[in-house]
Amino acid sequence: MSNTFFQKDIVSVRDFDKQKFETIFQATDKIITMSPNERREIGRGKTLGYLFFEPSTRTRLSFEAAMASIGGTSIGIADASSSSARKGESLGDTVKIMSLYSDVVVLRHQLDGSSRFAAEVSEKPLINAGSGTEEHPTQAILDIYTIRKEKKRIDGLKVGIVGDLKYGRTVYSLLYALGNYKVDVRLISPPALKIRSDSTYEIRKRLAYTETTDLEENISDLDVVYITRIQKERFADIEEYVKVKGSYRIGTDLVKKMKDDAIIMHPLPRLDEISPDLDSTKQAKYFQQAQYGKDTRAALLALILNENGI
Ligand code: NCD
Protein backbone atom coordinates (compact mmCIF):
# COMPACT_ATOMS: atom_id res chain seq x y z
CA MET A 1 0.00 0.00 0.00
CA SER A 2 1.36 3.43 -0.86
CA ASN A 3 1.89 5.96 1.90
CA THR A 4 -0.80 8.66 2.19
CA PHE A 5 1.61 11.46 1.21
CA PHE A 6 2.75 9.89 -2.05
CA GLN A 7 2.33 12.44 -4.84
CA LYS A 8 0.01 14.57 -2.66
CA ASP A 9 -0.10 18.36 -2.25
CA ILE A 10 0.55 19.99 1.12
CA VAL A 11 -1.66 23.06 1.11
CA SER A 12 -3.31 23.30 4.52
CA VAL A 13 -2.91 21.77 7.95
CA ARG A 14 -6.71 21.55 8.00
CA ASP A 15 -6.24 18.51 5.75
CA PHE A 16 -4.10 16.79 8.41
CA ASP A 17 -5.12 14.42 11.16
CA LYS A 18 -2.96 13.14 14.00
CA GLN A 19 -1.95 10.04 12.05
CA LYS A 20 -0.48 12.19 9.28
CA PHE A 21 1.65 14.07 11.76
CA GLU A 22 2.78 10.79 13.30
CA THR A 23 3.75 9.43 9.87
CA ILE A 24 5.98 12.44 9.20
CA PHE A 25 7.48 12.37 12.70
CA GLN A 26 8.35 8.70 12.43
CA ALA A 27 9.89 9.26 9.02
CA THR A 28 11.89 12.18 10.50
CA ASP A 29 13.12 10.07 13.41
CA LYS A 30 14.19 7.43 10.93
CA ILE A 31 15.88 9.77 8.46
CA ILE A 32 17.95 11.32 11.26
CA THR A 33 19.47 7.94 12.06
CA MET A 34 20.30 7.04 8.46
CA SER A 35 23.83 7.28 7.13
CA PRO A 36 24.47 10.02 4.53
CA ASN A 37 24.83 7.37 1.83
CA GLU A 38 21.52 5.74 2.70
CA ARG A 39 19.80 9.11 2.80
CA ARG A 40 21.08 10.05 -0.61
CA GLU A 41 19.30 7.07 -2.16
CA ILE A 42 15.88 8.42 -1.14
CA GLY A 43 15.69 11.33 -3.57
CA ARG A 44 18.30 10.35 -6.11
CA GLY A 45 17.53 11.84 -9.53
CA LYS A 46 14.65 13.96 -8.23
CA THR A 47 14.34 17.71 -8.58
CA LEU A 48 12.65 20.18 -6.28
CA GLY A 49 11.47 23.42 -7.89
CA TYR A 50 10.91 26.43 -5.67
CA LEU A 51 9.14 29.70 -6.40
CA PHE A 52 9.44 32.39 -3.74
CA PHE A 53 7.43 35.55 -4.32
CA GLU A 54 8.23 36.74 -0.78
CA PRO A 55 11.51 36.85 1.16
CA SER A 56 12.69 33.73 2.95
CA THR A 57 15.81 32.46 4.65
CA ARG A 58 15.02 29.29 6.59
CA THR A 59 12.18 27.88 4.59
CA ARG A 60 13.91 28.01 1.22
CA LEU A 61 17.35 27.04 2.48
CA SER A 62 16.03 24.19 4.60
CA PHE A 63 14.06 22.81 1.66
CA GLU A 64 17.21 22.98 -0.48
CA ALA A 65 19.35 21.46 2.24
CA ALA A 66 16.73 18.76 2.85
CA MET A 67 16.56 17.90 -0.85
CA ALA A 68 20.36 17.75 -1.09
CA SER A 69 20.51 15.52 2.00
CA ILE A 70 18.26 12.94 0.31
CA GLY A 71 20.35 13.03 -2.88
CA GLY A 72 18.14 15.28 -4.98
CA THR A 73 18.71 18.68 -6.54
CA SER A 74 16.86 21.99 -6.39
CA ILE A 75 16.16 24.62 -8.98
CA GLY A 76 14.21 27.75 -8.41
CA ILE A 77 13.51 31.39 -8.16
CA ALA A 78 14.34 32.95 -4.83
CA ASP A 79 13.23 36.40 -5.83
CA ALA A 80 10.23 36.54 -8.13
CA SER A 81 11.16 40.03 -9.29
CA SER A 82 13.90 38.34 -11.33
CA SER A 83 11.44 36.01 -13.09
CA SER A 84 9.05 36.51 -15.98
CA ALA A 85 6.38 37.37 -13.40
CA ARG A 86 7.88 40.83 -13.79
CA LYS A 87 6.98 40.81 -17.48
CA GLY A 88 3.43 40.02 -16.50
CA GLU A 89 3.47 36.21 -16.59
CA SER A 90 0.64 34.82 -14.48
CA LEU A 91 1.15 32.82 -11.32
CA GLY A 92 -0.62 29.93 -13.00
CA ASP A 93 1.78 29.85 -15.96
CA THR A 94 4.84 30.24 -13.72
CA VAL A 95 3.77 27.32 -11.52
CA LYS A 96 2.85 25.19 -14.53
CA ILE A 97 6.28 25.70 -16.09
CA MET A 98 8.09 24.91 -12.85
CA SER A 99 6.05 21.75 -12.47
CA LEU A 100 7.22 20.59 -15.91
CA TYR A 101 10.85 20.94 -14.86
CA SER A 102 10.65 19.35 -11.42
CA ASP A 103 9.19 16.50 -9.34
CA VAL A 104 7.80 18.61 -6.51
CA VAL A 105 7.04 22.34 -6.37
CA VAL A 106 7.46 24.59 -3.32
CA LEU A 107 5.63 27.92 -3.43
CA ARG A 108 5.63 31.02 -1.23
CA HIS A 109 3.28 33.79 -2.30
CA GLN A 110 1.76 36.88 -0.73
CA LEU A 111 -1.85 36.06 -1.62
CA ASP A 112 -4.23 33.98 0.48
CA GLY A 113 -5.47 31.14 -1.71
CA SER A 114 -2.33 31.15 -3.88
CA SER A 115 -1.28 27.64 -2.87
CA ARG A 116 -4.69 26.07 -3.36
CA PHE A 117 -4.85 27.60 -6.82
CA ALA A 118 -1.27 26.61 -7.67
CA ALA A 119 -1.92 23.02 -6.60
CA GLU A 120 -4.72 22.83 -9.17
CA VAL A 121 -2.46 24.09 -11.94
CA SER A 122 0.68 22.16 -11.01
CA GLU A 123 1.47 18.88 -12.75
CA LYS A 124 3.42 17.77 -9.68
CA PRO A 125 2.76 17.78 -5.92
CA LEU A 126 2.74 21.32 -4.57
CA ILE A 127 3.94 22.31 -1.11
CA ASN A 128 2.70 25.55 0.42
CA ALA A 129 5.68 27.37 1.94
CA GLY A 130 3.56 30.32 3.07
CA SER A 131 0.40 31.69 1.44
CA GLY A 132 -0.41 35.27 2.44
CA THR A 133 -1.66 35.51 6.02
CA GLU A 134 -3.35 32.17 5.67
CA GLU A 135 -1.04 29.24 6.38
CA HIS A 136 2.46 27.82 6.46
CA PRO A 137 1.92 24.09 6.92
CA THR A 138 5.51 22.84 6.89
CA GLN A 139 6.30 25.33 9.66
CA ALA A 140 3.55 23.74 11.79
CA ILE A 141 5.01 20.30 11.10
CA LEU A 142 8.41 21.36 12.40
CA ASP A 143 6.83 23.27 15.29
CA ILE A 144 4.89 20.25 16.54
CA TYR A 145 7.94 18.03 15.98
CA THR A 146 10.01 20.44 18.10
CA ILE A 147 7.49 20.31 20.95
CA ARG A 148 7.35 16.51 20.74
CA LYS A 149 11.16 16.21 20.81
CA GLU A 150 11.89 18.83 23.42
CA LYS A 151 8.96 18.21 25.79
CA LYS A 152 8.60 14.46 25.07
CA ARG A 153 4.83 14.86 24.78
CA ILE A 154 2.21 17.18 23.35
CA ASP A 155 -0.97 16.21 25.19
CA GLY A 156 -1.41 17.97 28.52
CA LEU A 157 0.85 20.93 27.75
CA LYS A 158 0.03 24.60 28.23
CA VAL A 159 1.02 26.45 25.08
CA GLY A 160 1.17 30.24 24.87
CA ILE A 161 1.15 31.78 21.39
CA VAL A 162 2.33 35.35 21.55
CA GLY A 163 2.52 38.36 19.24
CA ASP A 164 0.94 38.97 15.87
CA LEU A 165 -1.90 36.48 15.85
CA LYS A 166 -3.81 38.43 13.24
CA TYR A 167 -1.35 38.33 10.35
CA GLY A 168 1.06 35.56 11.37
CA ARG A 169 0.38 32.62 9.09
CA THR A 170 2.52 30.28 11.16
CA VAL A 171 0.04 30.86 13.99
CA TYR A 172 -2.93 29.59 11.97
CA SER A 173 -1.16 26.44 10.83
CA LEU A 174 0.06 25.82 14.37
CA LEU A 175 -3.44 26.23 15.81
CA TYR A 176 -4.94 23.82 13.27
CA ALA A 177 -2.14 21.39 14.08
CA LEU A 178 -2.57 21.68 17.86
CA GLY A 179 -6.26 20.91 17.31
CA ASN A 180 -5.20 17.26 16.96
CA TYR A 181 -3.89 17.16 20.53
CA LYS A 182 -5.19 17.81 24.03
CA VAL A 183 -3.48 21.08 24.80
CA ASP A 184 -4.43 24.16 26.75
CA VAL A 185 -3.80 27.13 24.47
CA ARG A 186 -3.42 30.71 25.60
CA LEU A 187 -3.41 33.36 22.89
CA ILE A 188 -1.48 36.45 23.96
CA SER A 189 -1.65 39.56 21.76
CA PRO A 190 -2.52 43.24 21.72
CA PRO A 191 -6.30 43.66 21.14
CA ALA A 192 -5.63 44.84 17.58
CA LEU A 193 -3.71 41.65 16.75
CA LYS A 194 -6.09 38.97 18.02
CA ILE A 195 -6.75 36.02 15.70
CA ARG A 196 -9.00 36.93 12.80
CA SER A 197 -12.69 36.47 13.40
CA ASP A 198 -13.09 34.66 10.06
CA SER A 199 -10.88 31.85 11.42
CA THR A 200 -12.15 31.54 14.99
CA TYR A 201 -15.04 29.25 13.98
CA GLU A 202 -12.65 26.79 12.35
CA ILE A 203 -10.18 26.96 15.25
CA ARG A 204 -12.85 26.62 17.95
CA LYS A 205 -14.08 23.43 16.29
CA ARG A 206 -10.67 21.94 16.93
CA LEU A 207 -9.44 23.35 20.20
CA ALA A 208 -10.24 25.35 23.32
CA TYR A 209 -8.28 28.53 23.91
CA THR A 210 -8.35 31.64 26.05
CA GLU A 211 -7.24 35.12 25.00
CA THR A 212 -5.28 37.69 26.96
CA THR A 213 -3.00 40.67 26.40
CA ASP A 214 -0.63 40.04 29.29
CA LEU A 215 2.44 37.86 28.75
CA GLU A 216 4.09 38.54 32.09
CA GLU A 217 1.06 37.47 34.06
CA ASN A 218 0.76 34.20 32.16
CA ILE A 219 4.33 33.16 31.50
CA SER A 220 4.83 31.17 34.71
CA ASP A 221 2.00 28.77 33.73
CA LEU A 222 3.26 27.91 30.28
CA ASP A 223 5.21 24.86 29.10
CA VAL A 224 5.75 26.29 25.62
CA VAL A 225 6.07 29.97 24.76
CA TYR A 226 5.73 30.42 21.00
CA ILE A 227 6.48 34.05 20.21
CA THR A 228 6.11 35.65 16.78
CA ARG A 229 7.20 38.74 14.89
CA ILE A 230 4.76 41.58 14.29
CA GLN A 231 4.20 41.29 10.52
CA LYS A 232 4.90 44.87 9.49
CA GLU A 233 4.53 44.16 5.78
CA ARG A 234 0.92 43.03 6.18
CA PHE A 235 -0.44 46.18 7.83
CA ALA A 236 -2.68 48.30 5.63
CA ASP A 237 -1.80 51.36 7.73
CA ILE A 238 1.74 51.89 9.01
CA GLU A 239 0.41 54.00 11.92
CA GLU A 240 -1.36 50.89 13.19
CA TYR A 241 1.94 49.01 13.08
CA VAL A 242 3.72 51.71 15.05
CA LYS A 243 1.11 51.36 17.84
CA VAL A 244 1.80 47.66 18.38
CA LYS A 245 5.48 47.43 17.43
CA GLY A 246 7.60 45.93 20.19
CA SER A 247 4.55 44.81 22.20
CA TYR A 248 6.27 41.76 23.67
CA ARG A 249 9.89 41.15 24.53
CA ILE A 250 11.32 38.21 26.37
CA GLY A 251 14.50 39.00 28.24
CA THR A 252 16.30 37.48 31.22
CA ASP A 253 13.76 38.98 33.66
CA LEU A 254 10.85 37.12 32.07
CA VAL A 255 12.77 33.88 31.68
CA LYS A 256 13.26 33.84 35.46
CA LYS A 257 9.49 33.65 35.82
CA MET A 258 9.17 30.69 33.47
CA LYS A 259 8.94 27.08 34.54
CA ASP A 260 12.36 25.53 34.71
CA ASP A 261 11.60 23.10 31.90
CA ALA A 262 9.54 25.44 29.72
CA ILE A 263 10.73 26.11 26.17
CA ILE A 264 10.80 29.25 24.03
CA MET A 265 10.04 28.83 20.33
CA HIS A 266 9.94 31.31 17.44
CA PRO A 267 9.40 30.62 13.73
CA LEU A 268 12.07 33.29 13.05
CA PRO A 269 13.04 35.83 11.80
CA ARG A 270 13.02 37.60 15.16
CA LEU A 271 13.19 41.34 15.51
CA ASP A 272 13.35 42.32 19.18
CA GLU A 273 10.92 39.73 20.61
CA ILE A 274 13.68 37.64 22.14
CA SER A 275 16.80 39.14 23.59
CA PRO A 276 19.97 37.53 22.13
CA ASP A 277 21.06 37.16 25.79
CA LEU A 278 18.69 34.20 25.94
CA ASP A 279 20.24 32.29 23.06
CA SER A 280 22.46 30.23 25.32
CA THR A 281 19.79 29.48 27.94
CA LYS A 282 18.28 26.01 28.15
CA GLN A 283 14.80 27.38 27.44
CA ALA A 284 15.84 28.75 24.03
CA LYS A 285 14.82 26.23 21.37
CA TYR A 286 14.36 28.44 18.33
CA PHE A 287 17.59 27.47 16.62
CA GLN A 288 17.00 23.81 17.36
CA GLN A 289 13.53 24.35 15.89
CA ALA A 290 15.07 25.69 12.65
CA GLN A 291 17.35 22.66 12.57
CA TYR A 292 14.36 20.33 12.86
CA GLY A 293 12.93 22.22 9.87
CA LYS A 294 15.48 20.62 7.61
CA ASP A 295 14.89 17.12 8.99
CA THR A 296 11.09 17.27 8.89
CA ARG A 297 11.15 18.69 5.36
CA ALA A 298 13.52 15.93 4.23
CA ALA A 299 11.06 13.39 5.66
CA LEU A 300 8.09 15.05 4.00
CA LEU A 301 9.87 15.14 0.62
CA ALA A 302 10.82 11.49 1.04
CA LEU A 303 7.18 10.56 1.65
CA ILE A 304 5.86 12.63 -1.26
CA LEU A 305 8.43 11.24 -3.69
CA ASN A 306 8.48 7.56 -2.67
CA GLU A 307 5.44 5.33 -2.91
CA ASN A 308 6.69 3.00 -0.21
CA GLY A 309 7.76 5.76 2.15
CA ILE A 310 11.08 5.32 3.89
C1 NCD B 1 7.61 32.96 8.82
C2 NCD B 1 6.76 33.26 7.62
O1 NCD B 1 7.27 33.44 6.52
O2 NCD B 1 5.54 33.23 7.79
N1 NCD B 1 8.92 32.67 8.49
C3 NCD B 1 9.27 31.36 8.45
O3 NCD B 1 9.07 30.71 7.46
N2 NCD B 1 9.82 30.82 9.54
C4 NCD B 1 7.49 33.90 9.93
C5 NCD B 1 7.67 35.37 9.71
O4 NCD B 1 7.95 35.83 8.60
O5 NCD B 1 7.52 36.09 10.69
Side-chain angles (χ1 to χ4, degrees), residues 59 108 136 139 169-170 229 231 267-269:
T59 305
R108 170 169 290 187
H136 190 349
Q139 180 72 43
R169 57 191 170 204
T170 68
R229 171 180 75 90
Q231 309 273 305
L268 302 177

mmCIF file of all heavy atoms in Angstrom, residues 59 108 136 139 169-170 229 231 267-269, ligand 1:
data_model
loop_
_atom_site.group_PDB
_atom_site.id
_atom_site.type_symbol
_atom_site.label_atom_id
_atom_site.label_comp_id
_atom_site.label_asym_id
_atom_site.label_seq_id
_atom_site.Cartn_x
_atom_site.Cartn_y
_atom_site.Cartn_z
ATOM 1 N N THR A 59 13.052 28.804 5.299
ATOM 2 C CA THR A 59 12.176 27.877 4.585
ATOM 3 C C THR A 59 12.835 27.424 3.281
ATOM 4 O O THR A 59 12.952 26.231 3.012
ATOM 5 C CB THR A 59 10.799 28.519 4.321
ATOM 6 O OG1 THR A 59 10.281 28.963 5.578
ATOM 7 C CG2 THR A 59 9.839 27.531 3.698
ATOM 8 N N ARG A 108 5.978 29.978 -2.209
ATOM 9 C CA ARG A 108 5.626 31.017 -1.231
ATOM 10 C C ARG A 108 5.081 32.211 -1.995
ATOM 11 O O ARG A 108 5.708 32.678 -2.945
ATOM 12 C CB ARG A 108 6.841 31.428 -0.400
ATOM 13 C CG ARG A 108 6.557 32.670 0.440
ATOM 14 C CD ARG A 108 7.632 32.946 1.465
ATOM 15 N NE ARG A 108 7.612 31.948 2.525
ATOM 16 C CZ ARG A 108 8.366 32.036 3.623
ATOM 17 N NH1 ARG A 108 9.189 33.058 3.790
ATOM 18 N NH2 ARG A 108 8.302 31.094 4.544
ATOM 19 N N HIS A 136 1.070 28.206 6.729
ATOM 20 C CA HIS A 136 2.462 27.825 6.464
ATOM 21 C C HIS A 136 2.617 26.412 7.033
ATOM 22 O O HIS A 136 3.216 26.212 8.081
ATOM 23 C CB HIS A 136 3.381 28.826 7.175
ATOM 24 C CG HIS A 136 4.828 28.740 6.824
ATOM 25 N ND1 HIS A 136 5.380 27.700 6.107
ATOM 26 C CD2 HIS A 136 5.858 29.583 7.106
ATOM 27 C CE1 HIS A 136 6.676 27.909 5.977
ATOM 28 N NE2 HIS A 136 6.988 29.041 6.561
ATOM 29 N N GLN A 139 5.835 24.726 8.405
ATOM 30 C CA GLN A 139 6.304 25.328 9.661
ATOM 31 C C GLN A 139 5.595 24.649 10.842
ATOM 32 O O GLN A 139 6.221 24.332 11.855
ATOM 33 C CB GLN A 139 6.031 26.834 9.664
ATOM 34 C CG GLN A 139 6.477 27.545 10.934
ATOM 35 C CD GLN A 139 7.981 27.679 11.052
ATOM 36 O OE1 GLN A 139 8.655 28.011 10.087
ATOM 37 N NE2 GLN A 139 8.525 27.439 12.246
ATOM 38 N N ARG A 169 0.929 33.854 9.674
ATOM 39 C CA ARG A 169 0.382 32.619 9.087
ATOM 40 C C ARG A 169 0.863 31.370 9.803
ATOM 41 O O ARG A 169 0.188 30.337 9.802
ATOM 42 C CB ARG A 169 0.725 32.551 7.599
ATOM 43 C CG ARG A 169 2.223 32.623 7.311
ATOM 44 C CD ARG A 169 2.479 32.822 5.838
ATOM 45 N NE ARG A 169 3.865 33.132 5.561
ATOM 46 C CZ ARG A 169 4.269 33.782 4.468
ATOM 47 N NH1 ARG A 169 3.403 34.189 3.577
ATOM 48 N NH2 ARG A 169 5.542 34.022 4.275
ATOM 49 N N THR A 170 2.034 31.462 10.432
ATOM 50 C CA THR A 170 2.516 30.275 11.157
ATOM 51 C C THR A 170 1.575 29.965 12.318
ATOM 52 O O THR A 170 1.412 28.817 12.704
ATOM 53 C CB THR A 170 3.952 30.469 11.710
ATOM 54 O OG1 THR A 170 3.938 31.440 12.753
ATOM 55 C CG2 THR A 170 4.920 30.915 10.642
ATOM 56 N N ARG A 229 6.878 37.384 15.340
ATOM 57 C CA ARG A 229 7.200 38.737 14.894
ATOM 58 C C ARG A 229 5.923 39.480 14.513
ATOM 59 O O ARG A 229 5.011 38.887 13.940
ATOM 60 C CB ARG A 229 8.100 38.578 13.653
ATOM 61 C CG ARG A 229 8.408 39.801 12.857
ATOM 62 C CD ARG A 229 9.329 39.432 11.666
ATOM 63 N NE ARG A 229 8.626 38.739 10.599
ATOM 64 C CZ ARG A 229 8.028 39.332 9.553
ATOM 65 N NH1 ARG A 229 8.057 40.647 9.437
ATOM 66 N NH2 ARG A 229 7.423 38.624 8.624
ATOM 67 N N GLN A 231 4.022 41.393 11.971
ATOM 68 C CA GLN A 231 4.200 41.287 10.522
ATOM 69 C C GLN A 231 3.995 42.643 9.835
ATOM 70 O O GLN A 231 2.981 42.875 9.174
ATOM 71 C CB GLN A 231 3.206 40.265 9.956
ATOM 72 C CG GLN A 231 3.215 38.928 10.690
ATOM 73 C CD GLN A 231 4.244 37.963 10.154
ATOM 74 O OE1 GLN A 231 4.252 37.672 8.967
ATOM 75 N NE2 GLN A 231 5.123 37.469 11.010
ATOM 76 N N PRO A 267 9.194 31.114 15.106
ATOM 77 C CA PRO A 267 9.396 30.618 13.733
ATOM 78 C C PRO A 267 10.587 31.296 13.055
ATOM 79 O O PRO A 267 11.114 30.786 12.070
ATOM 80 C CB PRO A 267 8.081 30.962 13.027
ATOM 81 C CG PRO A 267 7.447 32.061 13.822
ATOM 82 C CD PRO A 267 7.926 31.852 15.250
ATOM 83 N N LEU A 268 11.007 32.452 13.601
ATOM 84 C CA LEU A 268 12.073 33.285 13.046
ATOM 85 C C LEU A 268 11.640 33.802 11.663
ATOM 86 O O LEU A 268 10.896 33.117 10.997
ATOM 87 C CB LEU A 268 13.416 32.544 12.985
ATOM 88 C CG LEU A 268 13.923 32.008 14.328
ATOM 89 C CD1 LEU A 268 15.232 31.226 14.107
ATOM 90 C CD2 LEU A 268 14.168 33.126 15.340
ATOM 91 N N PRO A 269 12.050 34.946 11.198
ATOM 92 C CA PRO A 269 13.045 35.826 11.803
ATOM 93 C C PRO A 269 12.505 36.574 13.024
ATOM 94 O O PRO A 269 11.341 36.941 13.066
ATOM 95 C CB PRO A 269 13.337 36.822 10.675
ATOM 96 C CG PRO A 269 12.080 36.869 9.858
ATOM 97 C CD PRO A 269 11.512 35.491 9.936
HETATM 98 C C1 NCD B 1 7.606 32.963 8.823
HETATM 99 C C2 NCD B 1 6.755 33.256 7.622
HETATM 100 O O1 NCD B 1 7.265 33.440 6.518
HETATM 101 O O2 NCD B 1 5.539 33.233 7.788
HETATM 102 N N1 NCD B 1 8.917 32.673 8.488
HETATM 103 C C3 NCD B 1 9.274 31.364 8.448
HETATM 104 O O3 NCD B 1 9.072 30.710 7.464
HETATM 105 N N2 NCD B 1 9.817 30.816 9.541
HETATM 106 C C4 NCD B 1 7.491 33.902 9.931
HETATM 107 C C5 NCD B 1 7.669 35.365 9.706
HETATM 108 O O4 NCD B 1 7.954 35.832 8.597
HETATM 109 O O5 NCD B 1 7.516 36.092 10.695
#
